[in-house]
Amino acid sequence: MTFAACSAAPLSVAPSPWPIFWQHYTARFISPQGRVIDYEEGGVTTSEAQSYALFFALVANDKTLFSQLLDWTQNNLAQGSLAEHLPAWQWGKSKNGNWGVLEKNSASDADLWMAYTLIQAGRLWHEPRYTALGDLLARRIAMREVVTVPGIGVMLLPGKEGFHKNPDIYIFNLSYLPLPVVDALGKEMPEGPWQEIARNLPTLMRDVAPKGFVPDWVSYTVGKGFGAAPESTAGSYNAIRVYLWAGMTNPESPSSAGIIGALWGMRDYFFTHILPPLMADAASGNVSGVGPVGFSAAVIPYLERLGMKTQVANQTLRLTADLDPKTGLYGNPPRYYDQNLILFAIGWKDGAFRFASDGDLEPRWQQAKN
C-alpha cells in the first residue's frame, strides 16, 4: 500500500528554472533551420512539435527563433503557406531515403496551437501579419476540422480526414482542446465555433469520464452516445494533457470549474499514490503502471489548482531527481514528449507564462514591461 498523503511538509526543492531548461531543449531538439526533431522516432518532425515550439519561443520572447520555426513549418508542412493549407502532421525520412512529408493528414491540436500562438504573437509583438496568418488558419480549421454532431453540437475532429468515416460515428480526442486556446479563439472570432465548443467542454468531459479519468480517444455514435474508440478506453499519453490544460487554465474561465470537477478520478488517485499512473481506464476506473517523468510534470498545475501541496511536492521531487546534469534535460535518454510536457508545466509554475480568463497569453516578459 502507498501513502501519498502523509503529513510531512512539502520540501523546498525546484526543478531547473524555465529559461535555462528551454535553452537546453532548443540545443537538443531544434535544428538551426527551425525544425523540432524527435530522435526516438527516427528523427521525424510533427506539426505538434512545431506548434509547441512556436508557443515556447513566444513565451521566451525570441522573435528570431519564432520566425525560423514558422518558416520551416510553412515551407515543409504547409506547402509554403499556413494561410492556404493546414499543416501536414508528420515529416521525415521515407523508406526510399528521401526527406519530406510522411503523413499528409492534419492534426487539429497542432493546428489550434499554431493559430492561437500566431494570434497571440501578433498581439504581443504588434505584428499584424502574424495575427492575419493566425486568423486565416483558425478559419480553415473551422471549415475543415469542425463538425456539427447531432446530440452534441459543434465539435473538433482530430484531423481533416479519417475520424468520421461512418455517417453516424465520430472519433474525438479531448486532449486536442485546451480551454485557454479555445477561449482565446472564441474572443478573436466570436462568429466562429469556438465559444460553443468551450461551453460544451465540461459536459463532454463528464460524459466521457464516468470514473473521473479521461480516455485518449473516444467514439460517439448518433443516437447511442459515447463509447469505446477502436484504440480502447485507456487514458495515457494523450489524456495526460487534459489534466495539464485543466490545471493551467485560469480559474475565472467560465468552463474551467466544470472541467476540473469532471476529473475527480485523478484527484482521488493521488490520495493513495505518490506518482501518476501510466494508464487509467475511463470505463472501469482501473489504473496501472507508473507514468514517466513528463506525466509527473503534467499533473503539477492540476494538483496546484486543487490545493494538494504534498502531492505537488512529490512530483517536484521527481523532476529534481530525474534532471540529468549532463544535458540539462529530464530522463536518460531525454524523450521529446516528456520535455514538452515539462516545458508547459515548469513554465506555468515558474511564472514564465499565465493564461488570462479569456485565454490570452500573459508571458512574464510582458508583465515586466507593465
Side-chain angles (χ1 to χ4, degrees):
M1 182 179 293
T2 56
F3 297 90
C6 56
S7 60
L11 299 177
S12 179
V13 295
S16 177
W18 191 87
I20 296 175
F21 177 37
W22 171 238
Q23 291 175 11
H24 290 303
Y25 178 92
T26 58
R28 166 75 175 180
F29 292 101
I30 303 181
S31 76
Q33 295 76 33
R35 179 169 84 92
V36 183
I37 304 169
D38 187 345
Y39 293 102
E40 283 206 324
E41 295 296 327
V44 301
T45 293
T46 61
S47 56
E48 170 202 275
Q50 297 299 118
S51 70
Y52 288 170
L54 282 166
F55 175 80
F56 297 132
L58 177 56
V59 169
N61 199 22
D62 191 334
K63 296 181 182 181
T64 299
L65 179 57
F66 188 95
S67 179
Q68 292 169 340
L69 290 161
L70 180 59
D71 287 348
W72 192 93
T73 300
Q74 293 203 99
N75 292 334
N76 294 277
L77 300 184
Q79 303 176 54
S81 174
L82 284 170
E84 300 177 21
H85 305 281
L86 293 174
W89 170 61
Q90 190 180 65
W91 186 98
K93 190 175 184 179
S94 65
K95 294 180 180 179
N96 63 16
N98 295 326
W99 290 85
V101 171
L102 300 177
E103 174 55 67
K104 294 181 180 180
N105 199 12
S106 60
S108 60
D109 60 332
D111 303 342
L112 279 187
W113 275 107
M114 283 188 198
Y116 169 84
T117 300
L118 284 163
I119 291 168
Q120 297 300 310
R123 176 179 64 85
L124 292 164
W125 284 335
H126 308 291
E127 290 281 0
R129 64 191 180 97
Y130 288 158
T131 303
L133 189 57
D135 276 359
L136 285 169
L137 179 55
R139 294 174 192 278
R140 191 168 299 279
I141 295 167
M143 181 180 294
R144 300 295 305 277
E145 297 175 324
V146 172
V147 291
T148 300
V149 183
I152 292 181
V154 179
M155 186 58 179
L156 180 75
L157 290 173
K160 63 184 179 182
E161 299 173 0
F163 300 98
H164 183 211
K165 294 180 180 179
N166 184 305
D168 292 329
I169 300 177
Y170 301 80
I171 303 296
F172 299 124
N173 187 321
L174 292 184
S175 75
Y176 281 32
L177 286 165
L179 183 58
V181 171
V182 180
D183 279 339
L185 293 179
K187 186 188 75 166
E188 178 73 11
M189 43 194 68
E191 76 284 359
W194 313 112
Q195 292 184 2
E196 182 178 345
I197 290 176
R199 287 194 298 268
N200 290 343
L201 272 177
T203 299
L204 291 173
M205 292 285 181
R206 290 194 296 270
D207 287 345
V208 306
K211 302 295 183 180
F213 294 109
V214 175
D216 287 340
W217 299 91
V218 65
S219 71
Y220 178 83
T221 303
V222 176
K224 296 182 180 179
F226 288 101
E231 293 82 0
S232 85
T233 56
S236 186
Y237 282 90
N238 278 276
I240 193 64
R241 294 179 295 189
V242 174
Y243 308 95
L244 175 62
W245 309 148
M248 294 193 305
T249 299
N250 191 304
E252 295 183 6
S253 170
S255 294
S256 177
I259 291 174
I260 284 285
L263 305 177
W264 56 269
M266 188 65 79
R267 176 202 64 200
D268 289 359
Y269 177 86
F270 274 104
F271 290 144
T272 54
H273 295 79
I274 294 175
L275 300 178
L278 175 63
M279 189 281 292
D281 190 275
S284 67
N286 294 332
V287 296
S288 61
V290 176
V293 63
F295 282 35
S296 282
V299 297
I300 285 176
Y302 166 80
L303 296 170
E304 286 261 17
R305 175 75 181 275
L306 296 173
M308 300 174 70
K309 295 181 180 180
T310 298
Q311 288 81 357
V312 170
N314 288 339
Q315 312 318 307
T316 307
L317 281 169
R318 187 190 190 181
L319 287 177
T320 305
D322 280 10
L323 178 63
D324 186 340
K326 296 179 181 178
T327 64
L329 300 169
Y330 293 85
N332 189 11
R335 296 179 172 88
Y336 150 82
Y337 191 60
D338 280 333
Q339 312 311 308
N340 278 271
L341 295 176
I342 298 167
L343 278 167
F344 276 113
I346 291 182
W348 180 87
K349 185 170 176 53
D350 194 36
F353 69 89
R354 287 287 190 273
F355 295 107
S357 60
D358 61 6
D360 273 350
L361 179 65
E362 297 178 334
R364 180 160 48 203
W365 58 262
Q366 179 203 35
Q367 299 165 16
K369 288 182 178 180
N370 297 336

